[in-house]
Amino acid sequence: MTGLRERRERTLGPYAPLFYDRPLELVGGDGVWLTDVAGGRYLDAYNNVPHVGHAHPRVVEAIARQAATLNLHTRYLNDRVVDYAERLLATFDAPLDRVVFTNSGSESNDLALRIAAQHTSSEGVLVSDFSYHGHTRALAAATTGLRTREGLGPHVRTLRVPDLDGADRGHDEATVLAVALDEARAAIDSLRQEGHGLSALLFDSLFSTEGLNRVPAGYVAGLAALVRGAGGLVVGDEVQSGFGRTGTAFWGYQNHGVVPDLVTMGKPMGNGHPVGGVALSAALLDEFGPRNMYFNTFGGNPVSAAAGLAVLDVLRDEDLVERARATGVVVRRGLERLVAAHERLGPVKGTGLFFGVEILDRPRNDPRARPDPASTRRVVEALRARHVLVSRIGREDSVLKMRPPMPFGPREAELLLDELAEILDARPFGRCPLRSGA
Amino acid sequence: MTGLRERRERTLGPYAPLFYDRPLELVGGDGVWLTDVAGGRYLDAYNNVPHVGHAHPRVVEAIARQAATLNLHTRYLNDRVVDYAERLLATFDAPLDRVVFTNSGSESNDLALRIAAQHTSSEGVLVSDFSYHGHTRALAAATTGLRTREGLGPHVRTLRVPDLDGADRGHDEATVLAVALDEARAAIDSLRQEGHGLSALLFDSLFSTEGLNRVPAGYVAGLAALVRGAGGLVVGDEVQSGFGRTGTAFWGYQNHGVVPDLVTMGKPMGNGHPVGGVALSAALLDEFGPRNMYFNTFGGNPVSAAAGLAVLDVLRDEDLVERARATGVVVRRGLERLVAAHERLGPVKGTGLFFGVEILDRPRNDPRARPDPASTRRVVEALRARHVLVSRIGREDSVLKMRPPMPFGPREAELLLDELAEILDARPFGRCPLRSGA
């Protein structure tokens, strides 16, 4: 245990999660690279919060300049927050034409559930059975993807998100869809029967925590139709999938052909500066606004707005959404080559700059093949030993999670793929589990 | 309506509150001064978020330097957040030796209630009957001081906070105390009888929203003893009263001789940068930590930590807590002179750099005298016309609220007092209500 880690545990406690067997002490970042305390350089193939790259000079300058000018709440007029709101809202589809700024994805999802509960006079919430939307009390009661003591609230029903490249592999897509929508119907009925009614469906359009599930075409649209038919609202959590991450769209919901009633934002929005928001229609805000004095002290302050604006500027000027799409093609092609060569790898999941590959304990065509979190973990540690940072996701923590900052390009993709290939090749992957540093 | 206001309403909606009949468009700030779009200079006697002064160069530099270096979550080691945690925890009394970082006072209070509910396996909450602790769903259910559609949760009981300079004026202090504690006892009994149990008392040690009540000696200590006796936890909300605001102590709770079980922080912590936190004992965190995977993406990032550290540095190096105490004496003396000269002013409330004076509709010795929010509002507008910014608080919005950045000194105090005196003198205050700009 280093002195720093000891000091950290004596102040923040030992529960705040740390990556890796030997945690990494980082002191600097630029673009897609990170520097550790010994001067070692690491390729960042994991972090989505520094969306346009670590310490992007335009974002840094925007923050520094505005902080040196004025940083105040929104009870006075200031053009910066309005400029940002206009630019941000221009990225959404009708009827999403209003935004409430917050400081985190958690604040955003909590507010979205609050608005939905008031709109519907109901409490019932549908979430995936392996998801995470934030740490407030209201969200803890709807958390299925990590440990909370509260457990699920009685007003929450969970849905198994289908995965045509996972549990539903080999099944007929239309059948998988029908079964999944039947499950949603039953969940809504159960909420009604127990008097909760239906308030909202809360979903991440990439199914990130779940493990980047490939859902049947029409799944999200089908869910949305059921939810709206029952009087509920659709809340699209774009904390992970938004701001062009998928490469094919600016917002993840656009890949599903559904416009949510409320869209929540967080992580990448200010490139690390604490910014979040909820986009909604004027009609919904006009209902919530007069009944509640909602005021968020830091929300929409000019420094946060400047950070958010700079992120939008960089995304546009560096063409990062298209770049994510193009690089994503390179990554997918490379990962597919690895899958072809290694029978214990599952199919490639994800799009744009969010990829996953599951590691199995047996050849994928063996019906007894199961997720192999231990091997996945060893690959993550082995990549770290080679100075490439990735992580794990999925129900079993068995999916390699690759989700780099958006400037990650084809050259970095090749680097990641080469290191991964060498690790997978080092021992016959089909027989002998990989060791750390192998 | 200016073009900017129109654009704002078309993006943020018309509900986000704005001060003043004609909202002020601000474009810059330095120290205790603000600059509007026309170049006008305003003395800021209101804003507590820019705690060590608008755009303080040391805070700006700390933010700019760290943002240009690295901004990441806490899943890797970084010394900045540990340095900050150590410095911050050194300001607290035993047994508060752990901190969880968040991004706002709302996140902090929500987390404190979550920890308390788990610790006590109970939901019952005591709050003042005119208070505000944040905007999450859990906090909306305990909000009494502003409009929420939810109304109070069934697990919430409210306490009337006594005020020896207000509703309880002229009554025997010991009796007032006994009555107030009896009310708390009854509230706790009611929570138990209805099966909610007692989870937490949540209070602001300055009773800011209430109107800076002067409570009987021993009131908070008495409440805390009752709450702890019933197995509940004491949550001190220091979002407004902390970081030396009272001049007499670094934390407001220290003025009451009580150490809360959880202390929540927000607004002034990062001088406007979105930072919050919860201080608690290792014992409480050791209970919560293993049962919950609490992770706050932006919480404790190195830029937020750098901002928080710089605020602590400036408070120390510019001796701002002592300065607040000393300036507070000047302000109080001046306000007392005004009260002596104007019989429609109530007694001076507050301490350090948080003051209030109530405006009444009749001479204060008239038993029929009532709060006069309309006159209070006119004084706020008249001060604005003279380029001095204050606001209103209290149950009737009838208390002039003066709560400047901490570098506010004796010279600025005289300026505020002179302008206020001229406004109050302009018409015989006892007979004719003040008009805007009078």
Side-chain angles (χ1 to χ4, degrees):
Chain A
M1 193 186 279
T2 71
L4 179 58
R5 185 166 180 183
E6 217 161 11
R7 287 171 56 211
R8 174 179 153 123
E9 295 197 356
R10 264 194 241 118
T11 49
L12 308 184
Y15 313 106
L18 276 167
F19 285 137
Y20 301 118
D21 296 339
R22 286 175 304 110
L24 205 51
E25 182 178 349
L26 295 175
V27 298
D30 51 285
V32 297
W33 293 90
L34 287 161
T35 306
D36 77 2
V37 68
R41 300 277 283 167
Y42 291 78
L43 176 63
D44 186 355
Y46 169 73
N47 286 294
N48 60 338
V49 174
H51 193 55
V52 297
H54 291 283
H56 194 291
R58 288 182 69 181
V59 181
V60 172
E61 199 204 325
I63 290 170
R65 188 182 295 174
Q66 186 60 49
T69 305
L70 181 69
N71 187 7
L72 256 182
H73 50 76
T74 55
R75 280 174 158 151
Y76 309 102
L77 289 172
N78 183 273
D79 57 357
R80 196 50 58 103
V81 64
V82 177
D83 290 345
Y84 180 42
E86 287 176 348
R87 282 282 301 283
L88 183 64
L89 286 169
T91 66
F92 285 102
D93 300 88
L96 303 171
D97 59 355
R98 295 287 185 273
V99 60
V100 180
F101 288 113
T102 69
N103 307 297
S104 66
S106 288
E107 283 191 354
S108 302
N109 280 322
D110 191 286
L111 174 61
L113 289 190
R114 192 176 168 199
I115 292 171
Q118 293 195 10
H119 174 78
T120 59
S121 298
S122 297
E123 287 293 325
V125 171
L126 297 181
V127 290
S128 132
D129 67 357
F130 200 76
S131 58
Y132 175 69
H133 300 281
H135 50 65
T136 67
R137 292 199 76 194
L139 295 168
T143 293
T144 53
L146 55 80
R147 189 171 67 256
T148 68
R149 184 168 177 237
E150 286 88 355
L152 283 188
H155 60 289
V156 179
R157 294 294 176 279
T158 63
L159 305 176
R160 193 186 72 84
V161 176
D163 187 358
L164 297 171
D165 287 334
D168 302 296
R169 209 167 4 152
H171 291 93
D172 171 60
E173 185 166 342
T175 312
V176 171
L177 176 63
V179 169
L181 294 182
D182 277 348
E183 187 192 348
R185 238 175 249 115
I188 293 170
D189 285 347
S190 149
L191 283 172
R192 285 165 149 181
Q193 277 158 22
E194 292 185 26
H196 303 293
L198 180 61
S199 171
L201 162 73
L202 176 56
F203 78 104
D204 164 351
S205 55
L206 263 173
F207 304 107
S208 313
T209 306
E210 294 85 339
L212 301 171
N213 298 18
R214 184 161 75 86
V215 298
Y219 173 63
V220 174
L223 280 185
L226 287 175
V227 166
R228 286 169 171 157
L233 294 181
V234 176
V235 182
D237 179 340
E238 296 273 354
V239 167
Q240 298 223 54
S241 55
F243 294 94
R245 170 63 52 185
T246 65
T248 48
F250 199 83
W251 299 108
Y253 70 75
Q254 293 165 331
N255 294 316
H256 296 284
V258 172
V259 181
D261 301 296
L262 299 127
V263 171
T264 59
M265 297 163 272
K267 294 191 201 299
M269 196 168 181
N271 217 44
H273 192 91
V275 193
V278 179
L280 72 174
S281 66
L284 261 184
L285 186 59
D286 287 345
E287 188 183 77
F288 180 79
R291 294 169 168 179
N292 301 273
M293 225 303 293
Y294 182 88
F295 179 66
N296 190 312
T297 298
F298 300 135
N301 75 71
V303 179
S304 293
L309 258 174
V311 168
L312 293 182
D313 285 343
V314 175
L315 283 171
R316 177 195 61 203
D317 295 347
E318 300 184 7
D319 204 13
L320 289 181
V321 183
E322 165 55 20
R323 188 179 166 90
R325 191 200 58 73
T327 307
V329 171
V330 174
V331 177
R332 174 169 277 275
R333 201 178 303 140
L335 290 173
E336 280 169 352
R337 272 197 309 270
L338 288 177
V339 170
H342 296 277
E343 54 183 3
R344 276 180 54 206
L345 295 184
V348 179
K349 292 154 163 269
T351 171
L353 283 177
F354 198 157
F355 280 103
V357 181
E358 187 155 41
I359 301 184
L360 306 165
D361 64 351
R362 287 185 174 81
R364 59 182 167 271
N365 293 326
D366 184 331
R368 295 167 304 166
R370 296 282 311 133
D372 184 354
S375 289
T376 313
R377 185 174 175 194
R378 279 191 289 272
V379 172
V380 171
E381 291 280 352
L383 276 168
R384 176 243 154 99
R386 290 161 178 264
H387 287 213
V388 177
L389 306 182
V390 304
S391 184
R392 296 188 287 160
I393 34 173
R395 190 180 289 275
E396 312 282 346
D397 250 359
S398 56
V399 178
L400 280 178
K401 177 181 189 178
M402 293 160 280
R403 188 195 53 181
M406 296 281 278
F408 196 88
R411 214 162 37 162
E412 289 84 16
E414 292 305 339
L415 216 158
L416 163 69
L417 291 163
D418 288 351
E419 296 292 352
L420 189 54
E422 285 189 27
I423 289 166
L424 296 173
D425 285 341
R427 306 234 184 161
F429 199 69
R431 266 169 283 148
C432 177
L434 211 77
R435 298 246 173 90
S436 179
Chain B
M1 193 186 279
T2 72
L4 179 58
R5 187 167 177 180
E6 219 161 10
R7 288 171 55 210
R8 174 177 152 124
E9 295 197 356
R10 264 195 241 119
T11 49
L12 308 184
Y15 313 106
L18 277 167
F19 285 137
Y20 301 119
D21 295 340
R22 287 176 303 111
L24 206 51
E25 183 178 350
L26 296 175
V27 298
D30 52 285
V32 298
W33 293 90
L34 286 161
T35 306
D36 78 1
V37 69
R41 300 276 284 168
Y42 291 79
L43 176 63
D44 186 355
Y46 170 72
N47 286 294
N48 61 337
V49 174
H51 193 57
V52 298
H54 291 283
H56 194 291
R58 288 181 69 181
V59 181
V60 171
E61 199 203 325
I63 290 170
R65 188 182 296 174
Q66 185 61 49
T69 305
L70 182 69
N71 187 8
L72 256 182
H73 50 75
T74 54
R75 280 174 158 152
Y76 310 102
L77 289 172
N78 183 273
D79 58 358
R80 197 51 57 103
V81 64
V82 177
D83 290 344
Y84 180 42
E86 288 176 348
R87 283 282 302 283
L88 183 63
L89 287 169
T91 66
F92 285 101
D93 300 88
L96 302 170
D97 59 357
R98 295 287 185 274
V99 60
V100 180
F101 288 113
T102 70
N103 308 297
S104 66
S106 288
E107 284 191 356
S108 302
N109 281 321
D110 191 285
L111 174 60
L113 289 190
R114 191 175 169 200
I115 292 171
Q118 293 195 9
H119 173 77
T120 58
S121 299
S122 296
E123 286 294 324
V125 171
L126 296 181
V127 290
S128 133
D129 67 357
F130 199 77
S131 58
Y132 175 69
H133 299 282
H135 51 65
T136 67
R137 293 200 74 194
L139 295 169
T143 293
T144 53
L146 55 79
R147 190 171 66 256
T148 67
R149 181 163 179 243
E150 286 87 355
L152 283 188
H155 60 290
V156 178
R157 294 294 177 279
T158 63
L159 305 176
R160 193 186 72 83
V161 176
D163 187 359
L164 298 170
D165 287 334
D168 302 296
R169 207 167 6 151
H171 291 93
D172 171 61
E173 185 166 341
T175 311
V176 171
L177 176 62
V179 169
L181 294 182
D182 277 347
E183 187 192 347
R185 239 174 248 115
I188 294 169
D189 285 347
S190 149
L191 283 172
R192 286 165 149 182
Q193 277 158 22
E194 293 185 25
H196 303 293
L198 181 60
S199 171
L201 162 73
L202 176 56
F203 79 104
D204 165 351
S205 55
L206 263 173
F207 305 106
S208 313
T209 306
E210 294 86 336
L212 301 171
N213 298 17
R214 184 161 75 85
V215 298
Y219 173 64
V220 174
L223 279 186
L226 287 176
V227 166
R228 286 169 172 159
L233 295 181
V234 176
V235 182
D237 178 340
E238 296 273 355
V239 167
Q240 299 224 54
S241 55
F243 294 94
R245 171 63 51 186
T246 66
T248 47
F250 199 83
W251 299 108
Y253 70 75
Q254 293 165 332
N255 294 314
H256 296 284
V258 171
V259 182
D261 300 296
L262 298 127
V263 172
T264 59
M265 296 164 273
K267 293 192 201 299
M269 196 167 179
N271 217 42
H273 192 91
V275 193
V278 179
L280 72 174
S281 66
L284 261 184
L285 186 59
D286 287 345
E287 188 183 79
F288 180 79
R291 294 169 168 179
N292 300 274
M293 225 303 293
Y294 182 89
F295 178 67
N296 190 313
T297 297
F298 300 134
N301 74 70
V303 179
S304 293
L309 258 173
V311 167
L312 294 181
D313 285 344
V314 175
L315 283 171
R316 177 194 61 204
D317 295 347
E318 300 184 8
D319 204 13
L320 289 182
V321 183
E322 165 56 19
R323 188 179 166 91
R325 191 200 58 73
T327 306
V329 171
V330 174
V331 177
R332 174 169 275 277
R333 203 179 300 141
L335 290 173
E336 281 168 351
R337 273 196 309 269
L338 288 177
V339 169
H342 296 276
E343 54 184 2
R344 275 179 55 204
L345 295 183
V348 179
K349 291 154 164 269
T351 171
L353 283 178
F354 199 157
F355 280 103
V357 181
E358 187 154 41
I359 301 184
L360 306 165
D361 64 351
R362 287 186 175 79
R364 61 182 166 269
N365 292 327
D366 185 331
R368 294 167 305 165
R370 295 283 310 135
D372 185 353
S375 288
T376 313
R377 185 174 175 196
R378 279 192 290 271
V379 171
V380 171
E381 291 280 352
L383 277 168
R384 177 243 153 101
R386 289 160 178 264
H387 287 212
V388 177
L389 306 182
V390 304
S391 185
R392 297 188 286 162
I393 34 173
R395 190 180 290 273
E396 313 280 348
D397 249 359
S398 56
V399 178
L400 280 178
K401 177 181 189 179
M402 292 160 280
R403 188 195 53 181
M406 296 282 277
F408 196 88
R411 216 163 36 164
E412 289 84 17
E414 292 305 339
L415 216 158
L416 163 68
L417 291 162
D418 288 351
E419 296 292 352
L420 190 53
E422 285 188 28
I423 289 166
L424 296 173
D425 286 341
R427 306 231 183 162
F429 199 70
R431 268 169 282 150
C432 178
L434 213 76
R435 297 246 174 87
S436 179

